[in-house]
Amino acid sequence: MDTRTATAELGWTAIPPSGWEEVSGYDENLNTIRTYQVCNVFEPNQNNWLLTTFINRRGAHRIYTEMRFTVRDCSSLPNVPGSCKETFNLYYYETDSVIVTKNSAFWTEAPYLKVDTIAADESFSQVDFGGRLMKVNTEVRSFGPLNRKGFYLAFQDYGACMSLLSVRVFFKKCPSVVQNFAIFPETMTGAESTSLVIARGTCIPNAEEVDVPIKLYCNGDGEWMVPIGRCTCKAGYEPENYVACKGKMMICCCLMAIALSTKELIGNP
């Protein structure tokens, strides 16, 4: 999911209706975007929830969420009570099916898991806002392990004046690669950011495994590391750029054909 360039209605669920509001706005580059905003800072005991649509995890075990948002500086608001906040909470709820959230008890019964309290590095005042100077915060959080088909994200406001500009949800993986004359498949990272996932390699055509079973480890950043074992070209084949094994006879035949062709061209008028 990526709402950074969304211009159509997102259709997330807001409870209560007087809390989060979906509006059309502009990002820092004056591109039209859909955002959610809330600013009930003059009323105490705020508890406003915003729930995304169902997000399929697509086999990922750990999910990353990038949030871009702006927050109003509480000290710049006149006569604001002490309940004004410059933070919000991020939660998730894992499930195997899409849940009808409208007019349901989902909000009070779902066992949400808290990811973190998200704080703004920079907040804006009325002067900043009037001058069209947007102080956009970007925060990334991750959570896992995930085992169900998908999940919902939930954002809880408890007294901030803020705009949630965009939300990007993604996972990391190690791409398919050919190394040491072996092919390693695309591999999802593990459930923890420090996890190492073993990927078993398959020798490329005309190569065979030597030493120990060949494998690579996929780390939490989606990078391959710690190669173990190797494949080598079979007898009668030669390596080509460490990614292919070509027959020596074929190479010789090709060279001979080129040589004969060259002689024929030179010999003709």
Side-chain angles (χ1 to χ4, degrees):
M1 183 180 74
D2 189 350
T3 70
R4 290 177 298 178
T5 58
T7 56
E9 183 176 329
L10 297 175
W12 295 355
T13 304
I15 297 292
S18 59
W20 292 92
E21 179 186 11
E22 183 176 1
V23 298
S24 290
Y26 298 93
D27 63 14
E28 64 272 31
N29 298 314
L30 298 181
N31 297 313
T32 302
I33 56 175
R34 294 295 288 180
T35 69
Y36 279 93
Q37 63 183 26
V38 63
C39 192
N40 297 341
V41 294
F42 294 101
E43 302 173 17
N45 303 319
Q46 292 297 303
N47 186 25
N48 304 304
W49 288 78
L50 178 65
L51 189 75
T52 66
T53 52
F54 179 79
I55 303 171
N56 193 316
R57 73 180 178 94
R58 295 171 55 189
H61 299 291
R62 189 165 193 83
I63 294 295
Y64 294 80
T65 302
E66 177 192 83
M67 298 154 287
R68 298 173 64 255
F69 59 96
T70 60
V71 176
R72 179 72 180 270
D73 183 354
C74 287
S75 64
S76 70
L77 293 166
N79 304 317
V80 69
S83 58
C84 179
K85 307 293 183 183
E86 295 180 9
T87 60
F88 64 96
N89 291 326
L90 172 66
Y91 294 83
Y92 75 96
Y93 173 70
E94 194 177 6
T95 177
D96 285 320
S97 60
V98 177
I99 298 174
V100 178
T101 57
K102 299 292 184 180
N103 303 318
S104 73
F106 179 79
W107 292 98
T108 57
E109 296 179 356
Y112 295 106
L113 296 177
K114 184 176 180 179
V115 179
D116 201 2
T117 295
I118 311 300
D121 292 327
E122 292 188 287
S123 56
F124 69 86
S125 66
Q126 185 64 36
V127 175
D128 297 326
F129 188 72
R132 308 298 296 178
L133 178 60
M134 295 183 67
K135 294 184 177 179
V136 178
N137 298 274
T138 302
E139 295 290 337
V140 178
R141 296 292 187 273
S142 66
F143 55 90
L146 297 181
N147 299 298
R148 302 289 184 87
K149 184 177 180 180
F151 58 94
Y152 289 87
L153 290 179
F155 306 90
Q156 181 197 25
D157 161 65
Y158 51 104
C161 186
M162 63 170 292
S163 292
L164 188 59
L165 300 179
S166 68
V167 177
R168 183 170 69 98
V169 180
F170 60 97
F171 57 84
K172 296 181 180 181
K173 61 184 179 180
C174 290
S176 176
V177 67
V178 177
Q179 185 172 320
N180 292 338
F181 301 105
I183 302 171
F184 295 89
E186 179 180 278
T187 303
M188 294 286 189
T189 58
E192 303 296 333
S193 58
T194 56
S195 298
L196 291 178
V197 179
I198 299 175
R200 184 76 164 82
T202 302
C203 292
I204 62 173
N206 305 317
E208 58 188 358
E209 193 174 76
V210 295
D211 298 334
V212 297
I214 186 166
K215 54 189 174 183
L216 280 177
Y217 287 87
C218 178
N219 69 16
D221 291 324
E223 300 171 342
W224 292 111
M225 59 184 300
V226 195
I228 297 177
R230 63 188 177 91
C231 295
T232 188
C233 293
K234 295 179 180 179
Y237 295 87
E238 291 185 340
E240 183 180 56
N241 298 325
Y242 298 98
V243 296
C245 294
K246 293 199 172 181
K248 294 180 181 180
M249 185 177 297
M250 182 181 297
I251 295 175
C252 292
C253 290
C254 289
L255 291 175
M256 185 177 297
I258 292 172
L260 291 173
S261 177
T262 303
K263 288 181 179 180
E264 183 178 348
L265 289 172
I266 293 174
N268 290 334

